[in-house]
Amino acid sequence: MKHLILCADDFAFNAAVSRGIVALAQKGRLSATSAMTLSPRWAQDAPALKEIRGQIDVGLHLDWTSPFAVSLSGYGSSLSRAMLTAVLGGFDPNKARVAIEQQLDAFERVWQAPPSHIDGHQHVQQFKGIREALVDVMSKRYSHLPTAAKPYLRVSQDPIEQADLKTRVFSSFGATAIKLIAIKSNITTAGGLFGTYNFTGGEAGYAKRMAQWLSRAPAGCIIMCHPAQGGLDAGDVDDGIAAARQWEFDYLASDAFAQALAAAQVSLRQQS
Protein backbone atom coordinates (compact mmCIF):
# COMPACT_ATOMS: atom_id res chain seq x y z
CA MET A 1 0.00 0.00 0.00
CA LYS A 2 1.10 3.57 -0.75
CA HIS A 3 0.74 5.93 2.22
CA LEU A 4 -0.57 9.45 1.57
CA ILE A 5 -1.79 12.29 3.77
CA LEU A 6 -5.25 13.65 2.97
CA CYS A 7 -5.47 17.05 4.64
CA ALA A 8 -8.66 19.11 4.92
CA ASP A 9 -7.78 22.79 4.95
CA ASP A 10 -9.67 25.65 6.60
CA PHE A 11 -10.95 24.09 9.84
CA ALA A 12 -12.94 26.77 11.73
CA PHE A 13 -13.50 28.85 8.59
CA ASN A 14 -17.21 28.36 9.20
CA ALA A 15 -19.46 25.84 10.94
CA ALA A 16 -20.10 23.83 7.78
CA VAL A 17 -16.37 23.38 7.16
CA SER A 18 -15.70 22.30 10.73
CA ARG A 19 -18.68 19.89 10.69
CA GLY A 20 -17.59 18.32 7.45
CA ILE A 21 -14.00 17.84 8.54
CA VAL A 22 -14.95 16.22 11.84
CA ALA A 23 -17.46 13.92 10.13
CA LEU A 24 -14.93 12.77 7.55
CA ALA A 25 -12.24 12.25 10.18
CA GLN A 26 -14.63 10.11 12.20
CA LYS A 27 -15.17 7.92 9.11
CA GLY A 28 -11.42 7.58 8.58
CA ARG A 29 -11.55 9.54 5.34
CA LEU A 30 -8.97 12.16 6.37
CA SER A 31 -5.62 11.94 8.08
CA ALA A 32 -4.95 15.65 8.74
CA THR A 33 -6.57 19.05 9.00
CA SER A 34 -5.25 22.61 9.22
CA ALA A 35 -6.94 25.18 11.46
CA MET A 36 -7.51 28.89 10.98
CA THR A 37 -6.79 30.32 14.41
CA LEU A 38 -7.75 33.90 13.56
CA SER A 39 -11.33 32.71 13.12
CA PRO A 40 -13.60 33.29 16.13
CA ARG A 41 -14.81 29.70 15.58
CA TRP A 42 -11.43 28.12 16.38
CA ALA A 43 -11.98 27.96 20.14
CA GLN A 44 -15.64 27.06 19.63
CA ASP A 45 -15.07 24.23 17.12
CA ALA A 46 -11.81 22.74 18.44
CA PRO A 47 -13.47 20.55 21.13
CA ALA A 48 -14.98 18.39 18.37
CA LEU A 49 -11.46 17.74 17.10
CA LYS A 50 -10.25 16.94 20.60
CA GLU A 51 -12.72 14.06 20.73
CA ILE A 52 -10.80 12.39 17.87
CA ARG A 53 -7.36 13.47 19.00
CA GLY A 54 -4.74 11.03 17.84
CA GLN A 55 -6.80 9.87 14.86
CA ILE A 56 -5.89 12.90 12.76
CA ASP A 57 -3.00 15.36 12.58
CA VAL A 58 -4.03 18.92 13.47
CA GLY A 59 -1.90 21.80 12.25
CA LEU A 60 -1.90 25.55 11.73
CA HIS A 61 -3.29 27.03 8.52
CA LEU A 62 -1.20 30.22 8.50
CA ASP A 63 -3.41 33.08 7.37
CA TRP A 64 -2.82 36.42 5.70
CA THR A 65 -5.68 36.63 3.20
CA SER A 66 -8.94 35.45 4.79
CA PRO A 67 -11.64 37.87 5.98
CA PHE A 68 -10.41 37.17 9.52
CA ALA A 69 -6.88 38.26 8.69
CA VAL A 70 -8.06 41.34 6.81
CA SER A 71 -10.51 42.54 9.45
CA LEU A 72 -8.98 41.40 12.73
CA SER A 73 -5.22 41.19 12.53
CA GLY A 74 -4.15 44.47 10.98
CA TYR A 75 -1.72 42.80 8.56
CA GLY A 76 -4.01 40.91 6.19
CA SER A 77 -4.75 41.69 2.57
CA SER A 78 -6.40 40.22 -0.49
CA LEU A 79 -4.57 37.36 -2.21
CA SER A 80 -3.79 39.53 -5.24
CA ARG A 81 -2.26 42.21 -3.05
CA ALA A 82 -0.30 39.63 -1.06
CA MET A 83 1.08 38.18 -4.28
CA LEU A 84 2.06 41.66 -5.46
CA THR A 85 3.81 42.35 -2.17
CA ALA A 86 5.73 39.09 -2.50
CA VAL A 87 6.87 40.04 -6.00
CA LEU A 88 7.78 43.63 -5.16
CA GLY A 89 10.34 42.86 -2.47
CA GLY A 90 8.39 40.73 -0.02
CA PHE A 91 6.78 41.13 3.38
CA ASP A 92 8.56 42.69 6.34
CA PRO A 93 10.04 39.65 8.12
CA ASN A 94 9.82 41.31 11.54
CA LYS A 95 6.12 42.05 11.16
CA ALA A 96 5.59 38.60 9.69
CA ARG A 97 7.28 37.02 12.70
CA VAL A 98 4.88 38.78 15.08
CA ALA A 99 1.87 37.60 13.05
CA ILE A 100 3.13 34.01 12.94
CA GLU A 101 3.75 33.95 16.69
CA GLN A 102 0.26 35.37 17.25
CA GLN A 103 -1.36 32.56 15.26
CA LEU A 104 0.78 29.88 16.89
CA ASP A 105 -0.10 31.27 20.33
CA ALA A 106 -3.79 31.08 19.45
CA PHE A 107 -3.38 27.51 18.24
CA GLU A 108 -1.53 26.29 21.31
CA ARG A 109 -3.78 28.15 23.75
CA VAL A 110 -6.74 26.10 22.53
CA TRP A 111 -5.05 22.85 21.50
CA GLN A 112 -2.66 22.74 24.47
CA ALA A 113 0.07 21.35 22.23
CA PRO A 114 2.14 22.43 19.22
CA PRO A 115 0.66 21.92 15.76
CA SER A 116 1.58 18.72 13.96
CA HIS A 117 2.33 20.78 10.85
CA ILE A 118 2.16 24.29 9.42
CA ASP A 119 0.87 25.23 6.00
CA GLY A 120 -0.75 28.35 4.59
CA HIS A 121 -4.13 29.61 3.49
CA GLN A 122 -3.76 30.24 -0.25
CA HIS A 123 -0.11 29.11 0.13
CA VAL A 124 1.10 32.29 1.87
CA GLN A 125 3.56 30.32 4.00
CA GLN A 126 6.07 30.42 1.16
CA PHE A 127 5.71 34.08 0.12
CA LYS A 128 8.91 36.11 0.40
CA GLY A 129 9.35 37.63 3.85
CA ILE A 130 6.82 35.26 5.39
CA ARG A 131 8.80 32.10 4.59
CA GLU A 132 12.00 33.38 6.18
CA ALA A 133 10.15 34.47 9.31
CA LEU A 134 8.22 31.20 9.51
CA VAL A 135 11.28 28.97 9.29
CA ASP A 136 13.05 31.12 11.88
CA VAL A 137 10.08 30.95 14.27
CA MET A 138 9.68 27.19 13.83
CA SER A 139 13.39 26.61 14.36
CA LYS A 140 13.53 28.62 17.60
CA ARG A 141 10.09 27.94 19.05
CA TYR A 142 10.27 24.16 18.77
CA SER A 143 14.00 23.58 19.23
CA HIS A 144 13.37 21.87 22.58
CA LEU A 145 11.15 19.18 21.05
CA PRO A 146 12.42 15.81 19.85
CA THR A 147 12.57 15.58 16.07
CA ALA A 148 9.49 13.37 15.81
CA ALA A 149 7.40 15.90 17.77
CA LYS A 150 8.40 18.99 15.81
CA PRO A 151 5.88 20.41 13.31
CA TYR A 152 6.57 19.64 9.69
CA LEU A 153 6.16 22.19 6.92
CA ARG A 154 3.98 21.88 3.84
CA VAL A 155 5.47 22.98 0.53
CA SER A 156 3.04 23.79 -2.29
CA GLN A 157 4.86 22.02 -5.08
CA ASP A 158 4.07 19.10 -7.38
CA PRO A 159 7.16 16.86 -7.03
CA ILE A 160 6.65 15.08 -10.33
CA GLU A 161 6.38 18.28 -12.40
CA GLN A 162 3.05 17.50 -14.00
CA ALA A 163 1.26 20.39 -12.32
CA ASP A 164 -1.49 22.47 -13.87
CA LEU A 165 -1.17 26.24 -14.28
CA LYS A 166 -2.65 27.11 -10.88
CA THR A 167 -0.23 24.78 -9.10
CA ARG A 168 2.73 26.14 -11.06
CA VAL A 169 1.78 29.72 -10.17
CA PHE A 170 1.70 29.05 -6.43
CA SER A 171 4.84 26.95 -6.63
CA SER A 172 6.60 29.89 -8.27
CA PHE A 173 5.93 32.00 -5.19
CA GLY A 174 8.73 30.43 -3.19
CA ALA A 175 8.21 26.66 -3.00
CA THR A 176 11.84 25.88 -3.77
CA ALA A 177 13.09 28.73 -1.60
CA ILE A 178 11.18 27.68 1.52
CA LYS A 179 12.23 24.08 1.03
CA LEU A 180 15.89 25.05 0.90
CA ILE A 181 15.83 27.25 3.99
CA ALA A 182 13.81 24.64 5.88
CA ILE A 183 16.40 21.97 5.07
CA LYS A 184 19.17 24.27 6.34
CA SER A 185 17.25 24.69 9.60
CA ASN A 186 16.58 20.94 9.95
CA ILE A 187 12.83 21.36 9.54
CA THR A 188 11.02 18.44 7.94
CA THR A 189 9.05 19.20 4.79
CA ALA A 190 6.26 17.05 3.37
CA GLY A 191 6.94 15.24 0.11
CA GLY A 192 4.79 17.46 -2.08
CA LEU A 193 1.27 18.77 -2.57
CA PHE A 194 -1.62 17.67 -4.76
CA GLY A 195 -5.30 18.64 -4.78
CA THR A 196 -5.20 22.01 -6.51
CA TYR A 197 -8.01 22.68 -8.99
CA ASN A 198 -10.35 25.50 -10.00
CA PHE A 199 -13.36 24.37 -7.92
CA THR A 200 -15.44 23.50 -10.97
CA GLY A 201 -16.69 20.22 -12.43
CA GLY A 202 -19.09 18.98 -9.79
CA GLU A 203 -18.78 15.79 -7.77
CA ALA A 204 -18.13 13.63 -10.83
CA GLY A 205 -15.31 15.88 -11.97
CA TYR A 206 -13.84 15.89 -8.47
CA ALA A 207 -13.94 12.10 -8.36
CA LYS A 208 -11.92 11.94 -11.60
CA ARG A 209 -9.38 14.42 -10.29
CA MET A 210 -9.04 12.54 -7.01
CA ALA A 211 -8.38 9.29 -8.88
CA GLN A 212 -5.56 11.05 -10.75
CA TRP A 213 -4.06 12.47 -7.56
CA LEU A 214 -4.20 9.13 -5.79
CA SER A 215 -2.47 7.50 -8.73
CA ARG A 216 0.19 10.17 -9.34
CA ALA A 217 1.17 11.27 -5.85
CA PRO A 218 4.34 9.61 -4.57
CA ALA A 219 4.25 8.06 -1.10
CA GLY A 220 4.42 10.58 1.72
CA CYS A 221 2.82 13.41 -0.24
CA ILE A 222 -0.18 15.47 0.80
CA ILE A 223 -3.47 15.76 -1.07
CA MET A 224 -5.32 18.82 0.20
CA CYS A 225 -9.10 19.11 0.16
CA HIS A 226 -11.71 21.68 1.18
CA PRO A 227 -14.88 19.86 2.33
CA ALA A 228 -17.89 21.25 4.16
CA GLN A 229 -21.18 19.71 5.29
CA GLY A 230 -24.43 21.60 5.07
CA GLY A 231 -25.31 25.26 4.76
CA LEU A 232 -23.86 28.28 6.49
CA ASP A 233 -24.83 29.13 10.04
CA ALA A 234 -26.04 32.65 10.75
CA GLY A 235 -23.16 35.10 10.63
CA ASP A 236 -20.71 32.65 9.08
CA VAL A 237 -18.28 33.61 6.33
CA ASP A 238 -18.81 32.46 2.74
CA ASP A 239 -15.76 32.35 0.47
CA GLY A 240 -17.64 31.63 -2.75
CA ILE A 241 -16.76 27.94 -3.05
CA ALA A 242 -19.54 26.50 -0.88
CA ALA A 243 -20.84 24.31 -3.72
CA ALA A 244 -17.40 22.80 -4.30
CA ARG A 245 -16.95 22.26 -0.58
CA GLN A 246 -20.21 20.31 -0.45
CA TRP A 247 -19.43 18.05 -3.41
CA GLU A 248 -15.98 17.36 -1.98
CA PHE A 249 -17.61 16.29 1.27
CA ASP A 250 -20.19 14.13 -0.48
CA TYR A 251 -17.54 12.33 -2.52
CA LEU A 252 -15.07 11.84 0.32
CA ALA A 253 -17.84 10.43 2.52
CA SER A 254 -19.02 8.02 -0.18
CA ASP A 255 -18.38 4.35 -0.82
CA ALA A 256 -16.98 5.41 -4.19
CA PHE A 257 -14.05 7.15 -2.48
CA ALA A 258 -13.35 4.08 -0.36
CA GLN A 259 -13.31 2.05 -3.57
CA ALA A 260 -10.98 4.58 -5.22
CA LEU A 261 -8.52 4.27 -2.33
CA ALA A 262 -8.57 0.49 -2.65
CA ALA A 263 -8.17 0.61 -6.43
CA ALA A 264 -5.15 2.94 -6.12
CA GLN A 265 -3.76 0.82 -3.26
CA VAL A 266 -3.58 3.92 -1.07
CA SER A 267 -3.71 4.05 2.71
CA LEU A 268 -4.35 7.41 4.36
CA ARG A 269 -2.01 8.05 7.23
CA GLN A 270 -0.81 10.72 9.64
CA GLN A 271 2.66 12.16 9.36
CA SER A 272 3.12 12.34 13.10
Side-chain angles (χ1 to χ4, degrees):
M1 298 291 284
K2 179 172 66 175
H3 299 292
L4 298 174
I5 300 167
L6 181 57
C7 181
D9 287 359
D10 304 340
F11 185 86
F13 183 79
N14 59 41
V17 170
S18 294
R19 276 195 304 268
I21 290 171
V22 170
L24 290 172
Q26 289 172 334
K27 287 175 67 71
R29 301 298 174 82
L30 298 172
S31 54
T33 189
S34 302
M36 304 182 77
T37 63
L38 295 180
S39 167
R41 297 203 65 95
W42 165 232
Q44 179 180 347
D45 293 350
L49 280 183
K50 291 180 180 180
E51 293 181 5
I52 51 174
R53 195 173 197 138
Q55 300 176 40
I56 183 173
D57 284 343
V58 179
L60 173 67
H61 204 45
L62 190 65
D63 182 15
W64 247 260
T65 59
S66 79
F68 316 117
V70 172
S71 65
L72 298 179
S73 66
Y75 54 79
S77 68
S78 67
L79 176 60
S80 59
R81 185 172 179 180
M83 294 172 77
L84 184 62
T85 300
V87 170
L88 298 178
F91 290 81
D92 182 332
N94 293 320
K95 292 181 179 179
R97 186 175 293 106
V98 171
I100 292 163
E101 295 276 14
Q102 174 190 355
Q103 294 185 47
L104 284 167
D105 287 345
F107 183 96
E108 293 177 10
R109 189 163 50 247
V110 171
W111 196 243
Q112 294 295 298
S116 62
H117 61 276
I118 300 175
D119 52 44
H121 186 56
Q122 298 180 321
H123 314 282
V124 296
Q125 82 277 19
Q126 54 200 41
F127 286 12
K128 187 176 181 181
I130 297 175
R131 63 180 178 248
E132 291 83 1
L134 176 57
V135 169
D136 183 61
V137 167
M138 291 177 69
S139 179
K140 293 176 180 176
R141 187 175 180 120
Y142 301 114
S143 61
H144 65 288
L145 296 177
T147 299
K150 292 179 180 179
Y152 69 87
L153 182 62
R154 186 163 95 185
V155 177
S156 303
Q157 189 173 47
D158 183 333
I160 60 176
E161 299 180 349
Q162 295 182 12
D164 60 15
L165 177 60
K166 185 175 180 180
T167 304
R168 290 197 298 270
V169 167
F170 281 116
S171 178
S172 71
F173 276 82
T176 299
I178 195 172
K179 197 169 188 177
L180 289 174
I181 61 175
I183 290 171
K184 289 180 181 178
S185 297
N186 295 315
I187 292 173
T188 300
T189 59
L193 182 68
F194 295 78
T196 302
Y197 73 112
N198 60 2
F199 300 110
T200 63
E203 186 177 338
Y206 186 70
K208 291 179 180 178
R209 290 185 173 102
M210 180 59 73
Q212 294 172 349
W213 298 327
L214 292 174
S215 173
R216 289 173 49 210
C221 286
I222 296 171
I223 301 175
M224 66 175 177
C225 58
H226 301 81
Q229 182 183 26
L232 296 176
D233 285 13
D236 266 350
V237 175
D238 180 7
D239 58 0
I241 62 167
R245 289 185 182 277
Q246 184 63 59
W247 73 53
E248 289 193 26
F249 174 84
D250 291 342
Y251 176 68
L252 295 174
S254 71
D255 291 341
F257 179 54
Q259 293 163 6
L261 289 171
Q265 295 186 310
V266 166
S267 174
L268 301 180
R269 71 158 202 179
Q270 300 165 253
Q271 175 80 11
S272 59

